[in-house]
Amino acid sequence: MKIAFYIVLAAIVLALVAAQFGLLSGQRPGDLGVKDGRLKPPSVTRNSVSSQAAQLPDHPQRTYASIDPLPFKAGGAGASLKALETVLGAMPGATIVEQRADYLYAQAQTRWLKFVDDMEFWANPASGVIELRSASRLGREDFGVNRQRIEKIRAAYLAAP
């Protein structure tokens, strides 16, 4: 029983040390951004959400990954992305990495283990919504973390003026 305790303790310490050296943050995907009116598809495992998942009927995680886009605010795309920028700027662990007139890319990092999730937001002028995608860099299962984060973002965004 004592040996098992020490093994678990050593594993926890090892994970925390690895996290501090950035070994659990993964690499930024090279294929992010908007291409032909689409964000990168959701992952083939249960670790992402996308407002464009329904456009991929044969995708293995279409149902799991599907999430609603954000509606434009009254001021249009520019006002909507500005409100989103404010929301993300107030989120602990979130960092805006890239921002253009119609696109915002941010990263969310967990506090202790420093896992990084990539979040993309694109103001789609044809549909009048902000398409979104959020995905974990590592692991096959996110236990609903990306969906929960996006829903928190949605609530704050909708409440913003």
Side-chain angles (χ1 to χ4, degrees):
M1 192 62 128
K2 259 186 177 179
I3 292 177
F5 170 77
Y6 287 118
I7 290 173
V8 169
L9 183 62
I12 291 170
V13 169
L14 183 61
L16 289 171
V17 169
Q20 299 312 306
F21 284 102
L23 300 177
L24 302 179
S25 63
Q27 295 293 318
R28 176 180 174 173
D31 57 350
L32 297 179
V34 182
K35 293 166 186 73
D36 299 323
R38 291 201 177 175
L39 296 170
K40 180 178 177 172
S43 302
V44 295
T45 60
R46 295 171 51 99
N47 68 351
S48 66
V49 294
S50 170
S51 63
Q52 296 181 323
Q55 298 174 12
L56 305 165
D58 296 330
H59 194 283
Q61 296 301 325
R62 181 180 55 86
T63 302
Y64 179 82
S66 289
I67 194 166
D68 290 335
L70 301 174
F72 273 3
K73 295 221 169 254
S80 300
L81 286 173
K82 186 68 177 162
L84 185 58
E85 175 188 354
T86 301
V87 167
L88 292 172
M91 280 187 67
T95 304
I96 296 173
V97 177
E98 182 182 340
Q99 193 169 6
R100 297 189 308 257
D102 66 343
Y103 176 82
L104 196 148
Y105 165 65
Q107 296 173 348
Q109 186 176 58
T110 61
R111 184 174 181 191
W112 294 103
L113 294 180
K114 310 288 187 206
F115 290 117
V116 175
D117 294 347
D118 298 292
M119 300 182 291
E120 296 184 278
F121 303 89
W122 171 56
N124 183 340
S127 59
V129 297
I130 297 177
E131 303 287 1
L132 57 92
R133 179 182 182 275
S134 183
S136 302
R137 288 183 180 175
L138 300 177
R140 300 179 53 83
E141 173 70 54
D142 72 350
F143 304 100
V145 170
N146 281 290
R147 183 174 305 281
Q148 292 167 7
R149 183 183 307 109
I150 291 296
E151 292 304 342
K152 285 181 186 175
I153 290 169
R154 180 187 315 283
Y157 170 82
L158 293 174

